[in-house]
Amino acid sequence: MKIRQSFTLLRQNPFFSVVSIIGTAVSIAFAMVVYMVYDIQTANIRPESHRDRMVYSSYGYSYRKADHSNANTGMSYQAASRVFGDLPGAELVTYTSYVFMEYCGASPEKGNRYQKRHVDLNFWRLYDIRFVAGRPFDQQEFDACSDVVVIAERLAREAFGSAEEAIGKSYFVGFRPKRVVGVTEDVSSLFTFAYGEVWVPYYTKDPAWGSEGLRGGFEAMVLCKPDVSLDEMKQQIESSLDRLNASLTEYELALPDLSTYAERQFFRDDFLNPMATCIFLGLILLIVPAINVSGLISSQMSRRLSELAVRKAYGASRLTLMSQLLIENLLMAFIGALLGFLLSCLLLWLGKDWMLAGGYTSGNFEVSIWLFLRPAVFLMVLGVCLLFNLLSVFVPAWNATRRPIAEVISGE
């Protein structure tokens, strides 16, 4: 009954209703865009299903201990395996080398430049990339660094017509033929670490490039055990790095960019926590409109004082009037929130290249519209919005319903 009456009152005050709903929708939309960008960039989303338990080494650099001279970027596989190979808190460690744009195709004459990743077997265990045909390369093929390759479905269709037809065929990578053993689903380049178009095994026996075997082109990705925190893992890595450096005579390896997934994607400054920053921005986007709505509601209440006084004169209790006013405004807030949710999805979809990739999209940046429909984020922002709206309504409603009937009717 109260909800039906609230709809009637909303129709009787169309200007106020439309302004309140639009104000709520816009504030919800912008707050949700902030939260959704952070959520999409940091939440556990397939194929990067373990982002909250990941620590990344970056490539590091080495230098002479004596005078910090001869500094060189990069870490060899031998150095990486000594630092990350025996961490008690690690559930899984995978190593990857530099990512290249390589000329690939069904023949040396028919091809294009695609992103090539050198990976190991743990890469396929860490990232939840589905195979539409075939399999990843096996241990024997990896140990021998065989001429095998895994390619994305889009490349398989371009070269062979379908994923199934690609299995067992020769696919040229850098003008060198390799046997296709697997075809994966297309991975969006939104997923920075899982993304690839061509995957080949790396060679572990390559001699290091100098600096006491430290120089190379590898980085490590560590999946922590469920009971090990990210800070504890960083401490274990730093302790292992100290042991490696203590065993060296002339050179030293530094890993200044040890980072979690959120730090890697956003800030690496101890004073700028990514989640706290996004929450702060989102709250500002909700609080400022709530203050404006509160002023608008106060103005509307002054126009309805005579109505409230008459209803009180006919026996309506203060609690009844308060609840009716709160329901009216919460109803407008809920309608505005739904519109804001749809608007935020539209804004993020239209601006995904800039908001999610900073304007620098590469390769296959296609993402599903369903990625933006984040119910948990919507419910959280909706709850905060309704709370602010409730607070912005409560004070004007309280003041309006507490005034004596005679004072209101006499116009004092």
Side-chain angles (χ1 to χ4, degrees), residues 188-349:
S188 171
S189 58
L190 169 67
F191 302 101
T192 309
F193 300 100
Y195 171 67
E197 296 169 301
V198 177
W199 294 269
V200 297
Y202 56 74
Y203 189 47
T204 63
K205 308 301 182 185
D206 275 342
W209 299 345
S211 303
E212 290 189 81
L214 297 180
R215 290 174 57 192
F218 284 84
E219 66 174 324
M221 296 176 246
V222 183
L223 175 64
C224 302
K225 293 178 179 178
D227 59 340
V228 176
S229 71
L230 298 175
D231 288 336
E232 289 173 343
M233 176 51 64
K234 286 183 180 181
Q235 292 173 2
Q236 291 182 17
I237 294 171
E238 289 168 354
S239 298
S240 182
L241 178 63
D242 290 341
R243 290 193 293 271
L244 170 65
N245 287 329
S247 69
L248 302 174
T249 55
E250 186 179 1
Y251 283 86
E252 185 169 319
L253 177 66
L255 297 173
D257 292 325
L258 277 178
S259 56
T260 65
Y261 194 94
E263 292 168 345
R264 188 72 176 259
Q265 295 296 87
F266 291 96
F267 312 111
R268 302 191 196 183
D269 192 322
D270 292 339
F271 297 101
L272 290 174
N273 180 276
M275 180 179 290
T277 302
C278 288
I279 290 176
F280 178 72
L281 291 175
L283 289 177
I284 289 177
L285 291 171
L286 289 174
I287 290 173
V288 173
I291 295 173
N292 293 332
V293 169
S294 179
L296 187 63
I297 291 171
S298 296
S299 176
Q300 178 69 6
M301 290 298 176
S302 64
R303 296 191 187 97
R304 297 181 61 183
L305 285 176
S306 58
E307 172 204 333
L308 297 175
V310 170
R311 291 176 65 185
K312 286 176 69 175
Y314 277 91
S317 66
R318 189 176 182 187
L319 178 60
T320 300
L321 296 176
M322 283 283 294
S323 62
Q324 182 63 49
L325 293 172
L326 293 177
I327 290 173
E328 288 176 27
N329 287 276
L330 289 178
L331 182 60
M332 286 190 293
F334 186 74
I335 295 172
L338 289 177
L339 293 177
F341 173 64
L342 297 176
L343 180 59
S344 67
C345 293
L346 179 63
L347 288 173
L348 199 53
W349 172 254

Side-chain angles (χ1 to χ4, degrees), residues 46-57:
R46 199 185 67 81
E48 295 180 347
S49 305
H50 308 290
R51 289 172 168 178
D52 60 341
R53 294 166 52 200
M54 295 297 300
V55 174
Y56 301 86
S57 72

Side-chain angles (χ1 to χ4, degrees), residues 115-117 123 129 152 184-188 191 193-199:
Q115 182 169 293
K116 181 183 75 171
R117 278 187 182 273
F123 178 87
I129 302 174
T184 73
E185 63 182 348
D186 293 327
V187 179
S188 171
F191 302 101
F193 300 100
Y195 171 67
E197 296 169 301
V198 177
W199 294 269

Side-chain angles (χ1 to χ4, degrees), residues 86-99:
D86 193 25
L87 297 171
E91 180 177 318
L92 198 66
V93 179
T94 185
Y95 308 100
T96 63
S97 65
Y98 290 125
V99 177

Side-chain angles (χ1 to χ4, degrees), residues 2 39 44 61 63 73 94 117 136 170 180 192 232 272 298 302 360 373 376 399:
K2 286 186 178 182
D39 184 62
N44 296 330
Y61 68 98
Y63 55 86
T73 301
T94 185
R117 278 187 182 273
S170 290
V180 178
T192 309
E232 289 173 343
L272 290 174
S298 296
S302 64
Y360 300 99
L373 301 178
N399 290 331

Side-chain angles (χ1 to χ4, degrees), residues 7 20-29 32 36 330-346 373 375 378-379 381-383 385-386:
F7 273 113
S20 296
I21 289 173
I22 291 177
T24 302
V26 172
S27 62
I28 278 282
M32 280 205 64
M36 286 168 68
L330 289 178
L331 182 60
M332 286 190 293
F334 186 74
I335 295 172
L338 289 177
L339 293 177
F341 173 64
L342 297 176
L343 180 59
S344 67
C345 293
L346 179 63
L373 301 178
F378 170 67
L379 291 176
V381 176
L382 174 63
C385 176
L386 293 179

